[in-house]
Amino acid sequence: MKIRTGIEKLGKGMILLIFSIFTIFPFVWMILSALKTKAEIMDVRSFFPAEFQWHNFYQVIFESPLLRYVGNSLFVSVITLALQIVTGAMIAYAIVFMNFKGKKALFAVIMGTYMLPTAATYIPSYIILANWNLLNTFTGLIISNCVSIFGIFLLRQAFMQVPMGLIEAARIDGASSWKILWRVVCPMTKSSFITFGLMNFITCYNSYMWPSLITDADEKMMVSQGLRKFFIEGGAYGTEWPLVMAGSTLIVLPLLILFAFTQKWFINGIGGDTGMKG
């Protein structure tokens, strides 16, 4: 029995190891490529660089505008996410804990919009921002993404796990809906908030198509735009692939750090854990 258990554990460990290698390989390859010369990258026979080219990172950090683009993306993503959390939480709270006519119809409409292809909203959204003179502005990027349908759905599912008795008790104690949301419901569904925040932050940070449509000024570009324009599209560095890889490494770094600090709550949120005990 012990031998069988040991074999099962070894088998599971080997499977996880294999999947881990496949998962981490692109990141390892990207970092090693950032430390190669262009000729070494084109030579598929050389996996490791003959000599580490640390100056590739120096060029990207100090001789290109990439850090400014990272700052732009972080700024827009943080503000956008804060608005998405507030709007998503308020709408989800209203749908779950408040009684009003048309509540089910409202939720059906919200979920119906989630089924629309994102590209179908580009033209009307562009026209609205143009009429408001918000093209080529951070404000236009932020307000055009200040509501997340995915976030509303995720938080609604989490809020439905909160006992209604706690909400009624808080109302009897005189708490307003705003206080109930942030002091009762939010702490009990913390994992879902973190999951929502992490996924939407990554989506906003990596966004390329929509920012490319409404911003073309260099000082307003996001990381995906800047990386393509200055390192790939015949811009400042043409197709210098070592610089592309070095820039990609710096772009991914904030996301890896963020996930490292939030993975525990992220996994709990995916699993539907609301932090409540039975």
Side-chain angles (χ1 to χ4, degrees):
M1 191 68 178
K2 290 183 178 179
I3 296 176
R4 182 180 177 182
T5 303
I7 294 175
E8 289 178 354
K9 289 183 178 179
L10 179 62
K12 292 179 181 178
M14 291 298 295
I15 292 174
L16 290 174
L17 178 62
I18 292 171
F19 276 101
S20 298
I21 292 173
F22 277 103
T23 301
I24 199 173
F25 177 79
F27 297 102
V28 174
W29 181 83
M30 178 176 65
I31 295 171
L32 290 176
S33 297
L35 296 171
K36 292 180 180 180
T37 63
K38 186 175 181 180
E40 287 177 326
I41 290 180
M42 296 302 167
D43 185 3
V44 296
R45 295 171 298 177
S46 61
F47 184 72
F48 294 97
E51 184 178 348
F52 292 119
Q53 307 294 322
W54 296 106
H55 66 275
N56 290 336
F57 284 98
Y58 180 89
Q59 282 186 261
V60 169
I61 294 173
F62 297 105
E63 298 178 7
S64 81
L66 186 68
L67 290 186
R68 183 173 70 220
Y69 300 145
V70 171
N72 290 346
S73 290
L74 289 174
F75 172 76
V76 171
S77 299
V78 169
I79 301 300
T80 301
L81 178 61
L83 292 174
Q84 288 179 345
I85 289 175
V86 173
T87 56
M90 290 193 298
I91 295 172
Y93 179 90
I95 292 174
V96 175
F97 299 115
M98 299 179 72
N99 295 316
F100 55 90
K101 291 183 179 180
K103 183 169 72 171
K104 292 183 179 180
L106 173 62
F107 181 68
V109 170
I110 291 174
M111 294 311 300
T113 61
Y114 192 45
M115 300 177 189
L116 284 174
T118 304
T121 66
Y122 285 164
I123 294 177
S125 297
Y126 184 94
I127 293 173
I128 292 172
L129 293 180
N131 291 336
W132 290 353
N133 295 319
L134 291 178
L135 298 179
N136 269 324
T137 65
F138 290 146
T139 304
L141 283 170
I142 292 170
I143 66 170
S144 60
N145 292 289
C146 64
V147 177
S148 169
I149 306 301
F150 165 76
I152 295 171
F153 174 74
L154 181 65
L155 294 180
R156 172 187 176 270
Q157 297 304 110
F159 289 1
M160 290 176 67
Q161 306 301 318
V162 177
M164 195 64 187
L166 292 178
I167 307 301
E168 295 297 337
R171 288 171 178 167
I172 292 173
D173 289 340
S176 64
S177 295
W178 183 258
K179 287 185 177 180
I180 294 173
L181 171 59
W182 299 112
R183 296 188 181 183
V184 178
V185 178
C186 179
M188 297 182 71
T189 55
K190 178 174 64 175
S191 295
S192 295
F193 273 92
I194 293 175
T195 301
F196 166 35
L198 183 60
M199 295 182 70
N200 279 35
F201 180 86
I202 293 173
T203 300
C204 186
Y205 183 83
N206 289 330
S207 180
Y208 172 74
M209 184 60 69
W210 177 241
S212 298
L213 290 175
I214 67 171
T215 58
D216 57 12
D218 289 347
E219 65 275 8
K220 303 292 183 182
M221 284 187 176
M222 305 293 104
V223 288
S224 298
Q225 296 171 266
L227 182 67
R228 182 172 182 82
K229 179 174 181 180
F230 285 90
F231 295 96
I232 299 177
E233 273 188 351
Y237 299 101
T239 53
E240 290 293 329
W241 292 112
L243 300 181
V244 173
M245 296 303 166
S248 299
T249 301
L250 294 177
I251 289 173
V252 170
L253 191 60
L255 302 181
L256 295 178
I257 294 173
L258 180 63
F259 184 77
F261 283 100
T262 59
Q263 59 178 323
K264 174 183 175 182
W265 296 279
F266 177 75
I267 294 171
N268 287 340
I270 290 293
D273 179 16
T274 61
M276 296 178 292
K277 304 299 180 183

